[in-house]
Amino acid sequence: MSASSLNLDLHDLGVAALAARLAAGQVSSVEVTRHFLNRIQQQGSLGAFLATDPDASLAQARAADARLAAGERTPLLGVPLAHKDVFVTRDFPTTAGSRMLENYRSPFDATVVGKLAEAGMVTLGKLNCDEFAMGSANENSAYQTVQNPWDTSRVPGGSSGGSAAAVAARLVPAATGTDTGGSIRQPASLTGITGIKPTYGRCSRYGMVAFASSLDQAGPMARSALDCALLLSAMAGPDPDRDSTSLDLPAVDYATDLIATPAGGTSAKPLKGLRIGLPTQFFGAGCAPDVLAAVRGALAEFEKLGATLVDVSLPLTELSIPVYYVIAPAEASSNLSRFDGVRYGHRAAQYTDLNDMYKKSRSEGFGDEATRRIMIGTYVLSHGYYDAYYLKAQKIRRLIAQDFQTAFTQCDVIAGPVSPTVAWKLGEKSDDPVANYLADIYTLSSSLAGLPGMSIPAGFGAHGMPVGLQLIGNYWQEGELLGAAHALQQATDWHRAAPPAAASTRATGDSRA
Ligand code: GLN
């Protein structure tokens, strides 16, 4: 089969399907890479890309083709992806969505980037995100906003909004994301794709620009659970010399486990015996009726596959917002102190003395949300307020984690909505930080507990916008989450729906490409 006869639909193929064609020699990595690069350029990028470099991508693709020609067959060899711009990369600039790091070029690759490259994946570029991953709508990027491909007047979610929009619009088959309080799950939900935040410590944080170190975690975003499983198998694993919080558990082959389970289609009830816990607090008045209806529709499908639904309680859910918005800014204020214009980051052109240089450099380099969080974080850590805010928040964090363990005595996985509403209009909440914070209600508690969680497409809600179903597992249960999601995706088609913009995205150009 000639490559040109495949070119029309290469972008409709997911990671597994592309890998199969590459392995069978039906198409080369250079051809696949060119196809996606052309698509990114011709279709416009919805604001999703902050950097592309076709020469660098094609050099990686040629190397993958050489490995294929030498007979190597690994599950991701030659398949392209793009990285959220908080992962440092040698071949592309890294900004973390901030002016502070404009034109920054890392001398090394993040561990996760290196592992995916070793697996043979080709980098198409760097994806837009909220500044230092702080946000829920991608409107805090210093460079440009990102449009949701289902309706370009709406946000894609955040902070991994570029990753989500690019995957949903089929500009890339898969992307990396990071999730501190929901930034993989929420944009996946708002754009109708699949994303998983692993257990804290499952993937190395080395080379991820730090936001809140006790919460940050890397994960894959793609169109199916199988594709996420393929990526996560390559990304996960201990990194003892470079991230002491990465866990010393052997890497798992999640994808082979998925394919080997009866969810592959032999059994009518592949999820028989699975108890899905529904926290009452996730199904209350705070969630929009259209979102609840879609979530309930997906839960009914799980029941058809043999799962049983049980009620559970996570009584401290509401407190997850104040607790997270004390702890995350506290850690952020400490992490961002390194950007002083001397050791790292932008330096003001004119200043009178050292203090003036720090002040001007930081004022010019940080946007409003990063500045707000530095101020909140510095305040809650300061003498006299530490006990009242930071220490108190840490105590409640522990209680939130304990509530999950109580719930897991009654169920195997927990399910609910990801976001209380479908994607909102660009600009609708951009002047109201608290409105953005409140939208994180269903993702923050599992982040505080360090648990794995994922978002899987569950149909559509108001304005025809996608709705995601959240699955939360106990520690190290990524395989169970992916297995349940895969079973659902074998039986339903929600994850296959393509947005109208996948065919003709608005040509916005890439300001930095
Ligand atoms: N929306 C949350 C915040 O603004 C979560 C961000 C994230 O997970 N990186 O902090």
Side-chain angles (χ1 to χ4, degrees), residues 218-310:
M221 301 170 79
R223 298 212 302 270
S224 68
L226 176 60
D227 287 357
C228 285
L230 284 164
L231 263 79
L232 186 58
S233 306
M235 294 165 73
D239 192 11
D241 297 335
R242 299 187 296 186
D243 175 4
S244 60
T245 62
S246 73
L247 274 127
D248 191 15
L249 286 173
V252 180
D253 185 347
Y254 298 103
T256 303
D257 288 356
L258 280 195
I259 296 161
T261 57
T266 47
S267 160
K269 300 243 181 244
L271 298 182
K272 197 166 165 29
L274 183 78
R275 296 166 305 163
I276 302 182
L278 310 181
T280 19
Q281 295 79 2
F282 282 30
F283 289 84
C287 190
D290 58 304
V291 171
L292 280 183
V295 166
R296 289 198 189 283
L299 291 170
E301 293 295 330
F302 274 123
E303 280 186 295
K304 284 189 209 158
L305 296 169
T308 50
L309 307 180
V310 295

Side-chain angles (χ1 to χ4, degrees), residues 276-287 292 295-296 299 309-318 403-404 407 410-411 413-417 441-442 445 472:
I276 302 182
L278 310 181
T280 19
Q281 295 79 2
F282 282 30
F283 289 84
C287 190
L292 280 183
V295 166
R296 289 198 189 283
L299 291 170
L309 307 180
V310 295
D311 287 330
V312 296
S313 184
L314 295 171
L316 299 178
T317 298
E318 257 185 41
D403 280 352
F404 274 103
Q410 296 154 46
C411 64
V413 298
I414 288 171
I441 177 80
Y442 303 128
S445 51
I472 299 168

Side-chain angles (χ1 to χ4, degrees), residues 240-461:
D241 297 335
R242 299 187 296 186
D243 175 4
S244 60
T245 62
S246 73
L247 274 127
D248 191 15
L249 286 173
V252 180
D253 185 347
Y254 298 103
T256 303
D257 288 356
L258 280 195
I259 296 161
T261 57
T266 47
S267 160
K269 300 243 181 244
L271 298 182
K272 197 166 165 29
L274 183 78
R275 296 166 305 163
I276 302 182
L278 310 181
T280 19
Q281 295 79 2
F282 282 30
F283 289 84
C287 190
D290 58 304
V291 171
L292 280 183
V295 166
R296 289 198 189 283
L299 291 170
E301 293 295 330
F302 274 123
E303 280 186 295
K304 284 189 209 158
L305 296 169
T308 50
L309 307 180
V310 295
D311 287 330
V312 296
S313 184
L314 295 171
L316 299 178
T317 298
E318 257 185 41
L319 288 182
S320 64
I321 296 178
V323 167
Y324 173 89
Y325 281 100
V326 167
I327 291 174
E331 295 184 18
S333 71
S334 168
N335 277 324
L336 298 185
S337 65
R338 75 191 62 172
F339 298 104
D340 57 6
V342 178
R343 290 170 298 171
Y344 290 93
H346 167 83
R347 183 185 295 186
Q350 280 169 357
Y351 43 86
T352 49
D353 56 23
L354 186 64
N355 267 334
D356 192 48
M357 194 266 291
Y358 287 148
K359 210 160 129 185
K360 287 207 174 107
S361 301
R362 287 171 66 83
S363 305
E364 290 168 12
F366 290 128
D368 288 350
E369 186 61 27
T371 305
R372 184 177 297 117
R373 295 196 191 195
I374 291 169
M375 292 170 73
I376 294 170
T378 309
Y379 180 83
V380 299
L381 289 175
S382 58
H383 183 71
Y385 296 102
Y386 178 94
D387 289 349
Y389 295 105
Y390 182 73
L391 196 60
K392 184 71 131 202
Q394 290 290 21
K395 289 178 179 170
I396 302 170
R397 179 180 191 175
R398 171 52 61 99
L399 296 176
I400 289 171
Q402 279 170 2
D403 280 352
F404 274 103
Q405 291 314 309
T406 306
F408 281 126
T409 61
Q410 296 154 46
C411 64
D412 306 301
V413 298
I414 288 171
V418 176
S419 164
T421 64
V422 295
W424 52 94
K425 290 272 189 187
L426 282 157
E428 193 179 321
K429 298 184 187 175
S430 51
D431 294 333
D432 187 351
V434 174
N436 276 288
Y437 302 167
L438 293 175
D440 295 337
I441 177 80
Y442 303 128
T443 53
L444 296 180
S445 51
S446 48
S447 288
L448 288 163
L451 295 166
M454 72 185 293
S455 177
I456 44 180
F460 298 87

